[in-house]
Coordinates of all heavy atoms in Angstrom, one line a residue:
G229 N 0.7 -1.2 0.0 CA 0.0 0.0 0.0 C 0.8 1.3 0.0 O 2.1 1.3 0.2
P230 N 0.3 2.4 -0.2 CA 0.9 3.7 -0.2 C 1.6 3.9 1.1 O 2.6 4.6 1.1 CB -0.3 4.7 -0.4 CG -1.4 3.9 -1.0 CD -1.3 2.6 -0.5
D231 N 1.1 3.4 2.3 CA 1.7 3.5 3.5 C 2.9 2.5 3.8 O 3.5 2.5 4.7 CB 0.8 3.4 4.6 CG 0.1 2.0 4.7 OD1 0.3 1.2 3.7 OD2 -0.7 1.7 5.5
G232 N 3.1 1.7 2.8 CA 4.3 0.7 2.9 C 3.8 -0.6 3.5 O 4.7 -1.5 3.5
A233 N 2.7 -0.7 3.9 CA 2.2 -2.0 4.6 C 2.1 -2.9 3.4 O 1.6 -2.8 2.3 CB 0.9 -1.8 5.2
V234 N 2.6 -4.2 3.8 CA 2.6 -5.3 2.8 C 1.6 -6.4 3.2 O 1.5 -6.9 4.4 CB 4.0 -5.9 2.7 CG1 4.0 -7.2 1.8 CG2 4.8 -4.9 2.1
K235 N 0.7 -6.9 2.3 CA 0.0 -8.1 2.5 C 0.3 -9.1 1.5 O 0.2 -8.9 0.3 CB -1.6 -7.7 2.4 CG -2.4 -8.9 2.7 CD -4.0 -8.5 2.6 CE -4.8 -9.6 3.0 NZ -6.2 -9.3 3.0
N236 N 0.7 -10.3 1.9 CA 1.2 -11.4 1.1 C 0.1 -12.2 0.5 O -0.9 -12.5 1.3 CB 2.2 -12.3 1.8 CG 3.5 -11.7 2.1 OD1 4.2 -11.1 1.2 ND2 4.0 -11.6 3.3
Y237 N 0.2 -12.5 -0.8 CA -0.8 -13.4 -1.5 C -0.2 -14.6 -2.0 O -0.9 -15.6 -2.3 CB -1.5 -12.6 -2.6 CG -2.5 -11.7 -2.0 CD1 -2.2 -10.3 -1.8 CD2 -3.8 -12.0 -1.6 CE1 -3.0 -9.3 -1.3 CE2 -4.7 -11.0 -1.1 CZ -4.3 -9.7 -1.0 OH -5.2 -8.8 -0.5
A238 N 1.2 -14.5 -2.2 CA 1.9 -15.7 -2.6 C 1.7 -16.8 -1.6 O 1.7 -16.6 -0.4 CB 3.4 -15.6 -2.8
T239 N 1.5 -18.2 -2.0 CA 1.0 -19.1 -1.1 C 1.8 -20.4 -1.2 O 2.7 -20.5 -2.0 CB -0.6 -19.3 -1.4 OG1 -1.1 -20.2 -0.3 CG2 -0.7 -20.0 -2.8
S240 N 1.4 -21.3 -0.3 CA 2.0 -22.6 -0.3 C 0.9 -23.6 -0.7 O -0.3 -23.2 -0.6 CB 2.6 -23.0 1.1 OG 1.5 -23.0 2.0
W241 N 1.3 -24.8 -0.9 CA 0.3 -25.9 -1.2 C -0.7 -26.1 -0.1 O -1.9 -26.3 -0.2 CB 0.9 -27.2 -1.7 CG 1.5 -27.1 -3.1 CD1 2.7 -27.2 -3.6 CD2 0.7 -26.9 -4.3 NE1 2.8 -27.1 -4.9 CE2 1.5 -27.0 -5.4 CE3 -0.7 -26.7 -4.5 CZ2 1.1 -26.8 -6.7 CZ3 -1.2 -26.6 -5.9 CH2 -0.3 -26.7 -7.0
D242 N 0.0 -26.0 1.1 CA -0.9 -26.2 2.3 C -2.0 -25.2 2.5 O -3.1 -25.5 2.8 CB 0.0 -26.1 3.6 CG 0.8 -27.4 3.8 OD1 0.4 -28.5 3.4 OD2 1.9 -27.3 4.4
K243 N -1.7 -23.9 2.2 CA -2.6 -22.9 2.2 C -3.8 -23.1 1.1 O -4.9 -22.8 1.3 CB -2.1 -21.5 2.1 CG -1.2 -21.0 3.3 CD -0.5 -19.7 3.2 CE 0.3 -19.4 4.4 NZ 0.9 -18.1 4.2
V244 N -3.2 -23.4 0.0 CA -4.1 -23.7 -1.2 C -5.2 -24.7 -0.8 O -6.4 -24.6 -1.0 CB -3.4 -24.0 -2.4 CG1 -4.4 -24.6 -3.5 CG2 -2.6 -22.9 -3.0
I245 N -4.6 -25.9 -0.2 CA -5.5 -26.9 0.1 C -6.5 -26.5 1.2 O -7.7 -26.9 1.2 CB -4.7 -28.2 0.6 CG1 -3.7 -28.6 -0.5 CG2 -5.5 -29.3 1.1 CD1 -4.4 -29.0 -1.8
R246 N -6.1 -25.8 2.2 CA -6.8 -25.3 3.3 C -8.1 -24.6 2.7 O -9.2 -24.6 3.1 CB -6.2 -24.5 4.3 CG -7.0 -23.8 5.3 CD -8.0 -24.6 6.1 NE -7.3 -25.6 6.9 CZ -7.9 -26.5 7.7 NH1 -9.3 -26.6 7.6 NH2 -7.2 -27.3 8.5
N247 N -7.8 -23.6 1.7 CA -8.8 -22.8 1.2 C -9.8 -23.6 0.3 O -11.1 -23.4 0.4 CB -8.2 -21.7 0.2 CG -7.6 -20.6 1.0 OD1 -7.9 -20.4 2.2 ND2 -6.5 -20.0 0.4
I248 N -9.3 -24.6 -0.3 CA -10.3 -25.6 -1.1 C -11.1 -26.3 -0.1 O -12.4 -26.5 -0.4 CB -9.4 -26.4 -2.1 CG1 -8.8 -25.6 -3.2 CG2 -10.3 -27.5 -2.7 CD1 -7.8 -26.4 -4.0
Y249 N -10.5 -26.9 0.8 CA -11.2 -27.7 1.8 C -12.3 -26.9 2.5 O -13.3 -27.4 2.8 CB -10.2 -28.3 2.8 CG -10.9 -29.4 3.7 CD1 -11.1 -30.7 3.2 CD2 -11.3 -29.1 5.0 CE1 -11.7 -31.7 3.9 CE2 -11.9 -30.1 5.8 CZ -12.0 -31.3 5.3 OH -12.6 -32.3 6.0
D250 N -12.0 -25.6 2.8 CA -12.9 -24.9 3.6 C -14.2 -24.3 2.6 O -15.1 -23.7 3.1 CB -12.3 -23.7 4.1 CG -11.4 -24.0 5.4 OD1 -11.7 -25.1 5.8 OD2 -10.6 -23.2 5.7
N251 N -14.0 -24.5 1.3 CA -15.0 -24.1 0.4 C -16.2 -25.0 0.6 O -16.1 -26.3 0.5 CB -14.4 -24.3 -1.1 CG -15.5 -23.7 -2.1 OD1 -16.6 -23.6 -1.8 ND2 -14.9 -23.3 -3.2
D252 N -17.4 -24.4 0.8 CA -18.6 -25.2 1.0 C -18.9 -26.2 -0.2 O -19.5 -27.3 -0.1 CB -19.9 -24.4 1.2 CG -21.1 -25.2 1.6 OD1 -21.0 -25.9 2.6 OD2 -22.1 -25.1 0.8
D253 N -18.5 -25.9 -1.4 CA -18.7 -26.6 -2.5 C -17.7 -27.8 -2.7 O -17.9 -28.6 -3.6 CB -18.6 -25.8 -3.9 CG -19.8 -24.9 -4.1 OD1 -20.8 -25.2 -3.5 OD2 -19.6 -23.8 -4.7
F254 N -16.8 -27.9 -1.7 CA -15.8 -29.0 -1.6 C -16.0 -29.7 -0.2 O -16.7 -30.6 -0.2 CB -14.4 -28.5 -1.9 CG -13.4 -29.6 -1.9 CD1 -13.2 -30.4 -3.1 CD2 -12.8 -30.1 -0.7 CE1 -12.3 -31.4 -3.2 CE2 -11.8 -31.1 -0.8 CZ -11.6 -31.8 -2.0
G255 N -15.3 -29.2 0.8 CA -15.3 -29.8 2.1 C -16.8 -29.8 2.6 O -17.1 -30.8 3.3
G256 N -17.5 -28.8 2.4 CA -18.9 -28.8 2.9 C -19.8 -29.9 2.3 O -20.8 -30.3 3.1
Q257 N -19.4 -30.4 1.2 CA -20.3 -31.5 0.5 C -20.0 -32.9 1.3 O -20.8 -33.7 1.2 CB -20.1 -31.5 -0.9 CG -20.3 -30.3 -1.7 CD -21.8 -29.8 -1.5 OE1 -22.7 -30.6 -1.8 NE2 -21.9 -28.6 -1.2
L258 N -18.8 -33.0 1.8 CA -18.4 -34.3 2.4 C -19.2 -34.6 3.7 O -19.3 -35.7 4.1 CB -16.9 -34.2 2.7 CG -16.0 -34.1 1.5 CD1 -14.6 -34.0 1.9 CD2 -16.2 -35.2 0.5
S259 N -19.7 -33.6 4.3 CA -20.4 -33.7 5.6 C -21.9 -34.0 5.5 O -22.6 -34.3 6.4 CB -20.2 -32.5 6.5 OG -20.7 -31.4 5.9
K260 N -22.4 -33.9 4.2 CA -23.9 -34.0 3.9 C -24.1 -35.6 3.7 O -23.5 -36.2 2.9 CB -24.3 -33.3 2.7 CG -24.1 -31.8 2.9 CD -24.6 -31.0 1.6 CE -24.1 -29.6 1.6 NZ -24.7 -28.8 2.6
T261 N -25.0 -36.2 4.5 CA -25.2 -37.6 4.5 C -26.7 -37.9 4.6 O -27.1 -39.0 4.1 CB -24.6 -38.3 5.7 OG1 -25.2 -37.9 6.9 CG2 -23.1 -38.0 5.7

């Protein structure tokens, strides 16, 4: 940002997987029985 604050978006496979798993269209479907 203009104030020099940095927010990282580069990721790791672990973070990618966590985001996918937390998606209701993925992990949310596994709990429906």
Side-chain angles (χ1 to χ4, degrees):
D231 60 353
V234 173
K235 184 175 181 180
N236 286 308
Y237 289 94
T239 187
S240 65
W241 283 118
D242 285 331
K243 291 180 181 177
V244 168
I245 299 306
R246 169 55 69 181
N247 288 335
I248 292 173
Y249 190 79
D250 289 343
N251 186 335
D252 185 61
D253 288 334
F254 185 86
Q257 302 301 308
L258 298 174
S259 60
K260 301 179 188 297
T261 63

